[in-house]
Amino acid sequence: MLSSLLHLHVGAVMSFFSFGQSAEIDIVLNDAETKKKVEHKTEDGKKDKYFLFYDGETVSGKVNVTLKNPGKRLEHQGIKIEFIGQIELYYDRGNHHEFVSLVKDLARPGELTQSQTFDFEFTHVEKPYESYTGQNVKLRYFLRATISRRLNDISKEMDIVVHTLSTYPELNSSIKMEVGIEDCLHIEFEYNKSKYHLKDVIVGKIYFLLVRIKIKHMEIDIIKRETTGTGPNVYHENDTIAKYEIMDGAPVRGESIPIRLFLAGYEMTPTMRDINKKFSVRYYLNLVLIDEEERRYFKQQEITLWRKGDIVRKSMSHQAAIASQRFEGSSNNEKAVAQNKEDSN
C-alpha cells in the first residue's frame, strides 16, 4: 500500500512539472550577419568563434522567447537582459568579480500567451579590459537573458569577445643591455624598440665583446607571465610562447648576430597591467646562452605588447576611431623614417 502511494506521489509531481508551460530563449545581435567574429580560447583550451566588440561600442539585438507548449500560458515575474563583464580567479571558483553590470527590463511581471520577441540596446557600453582566458584567471563579457519565475528561472547566456585598441606609443626607445661573466664573457644586445604591436617584428643585434667560454647554442624566448591574486596569495604562471634560435656554434670576439623575430605567428594578448586589481599579463624577451657543459646564462627584459587598430569601423566608438587615426599617422611617419634610413644606408 505504501509503495503504491509513493508511486502515485512521484507521478503527481512529475505530471505537475511536465504539463506546465516552458520556453526557449535565443539572443540575436542586430548586425549578426555582417559583424566580425574572432577566435578565442575557452577554458578547456579549445577555440571557438565569438562576435568582436570594442570599448564604447553599442550592443543591441533581440531576445526571442519561444513557448514550448502552444496554447498554454507562461506566468513570470519579469523578463530582463543583462550585459556583464566579470573576472573569475580559478582558485576562488564561484566568486565572480563584476566590473560591468547593466540591466534592461524587457517585460513586467505577467504572462505570455504566445511566443514573443523583445528588442534591447546597451548604448556606448564601456568595456575597459580585453577578453582573456589564462592559466588561473578568466575575463569574460556576456549577455544573459532571464525569464524570472517562482520555482525556476529560464535563462540563456551569450559570450562576446572584446579587443582593446591602443594608440601608437610616442616614446618607444630601443633596448640596450650588457651581460657578462667577469673575464669570461661580455655581450651587448640591442632591440629596436621596447613596445611592439601584436603583428610587429622584433629587430635586434647581439655583439660579442669578449668570449672565453665555449658557447654552443643561443636563443631568444618570449615568455608570458600571468600574475593573479594579491599579498600572500599571489600566483605566478610562466609560459614560453616562442623559442627562436639565434646561433648554433661558437661565436668569436667582435662578431655581430642579427635578430628578426616575427610576432604574428604566435598567440599573444596585449600586455595587461593590474587589471581591476585582480591580475596582470606581462611579456619578456629572454636571451639564453648554453655552453658546452650545458650551463645556461640568460638575461630577461620586459617588452610591452599592444593591439593595433585595424580599419576604422562606423560602429566603433568615436574614441577608438580617433585612436586608430592617430596610430595610422604615427605609423606612416615611422615607415617614412625607416625608408629614409634604408635609402641613406
Side-chain angles (χ1 to χ4, degrees), residues 17 21-25 65 68 74-82 109 144-157:
F17 282 110
Q21 180 59 284
S22 187
E24 285 185 351
I25 302 175
V65 178
K68 287 186 178 178
L74 175 71
E75 290 187 14
H76 62 84
Q77 264 66 58
I79 302 171
K80 66 180 179 180
I81 187 162
E82 300 164 273
R144 179 167 61 208
T146 307
I147 301 172
S148 300
R149 300 203 299 176
R150 279 203 182 105
L151 287 172
N152 56 331
D153 293 347
I154 304 169
S155 68
K156 175 75 176 282
E157 291 183 358

Side-chain angles (χ1 to χ4, degrees), residues 181 213-218 288-297:
I181 305 160
I213 55 175
K214 292 182 178 179
I215 297 169
K216 69 169 188 178
H217 179 77
M218 183 160 60
V288 182
L289 289 81
I290 302 168
D291 68 14
E292 289 188 343
E293 295 177 19
E294 297 299 323
R295 286 179 298 204
R296 294 168 68 87
Y297 311 91

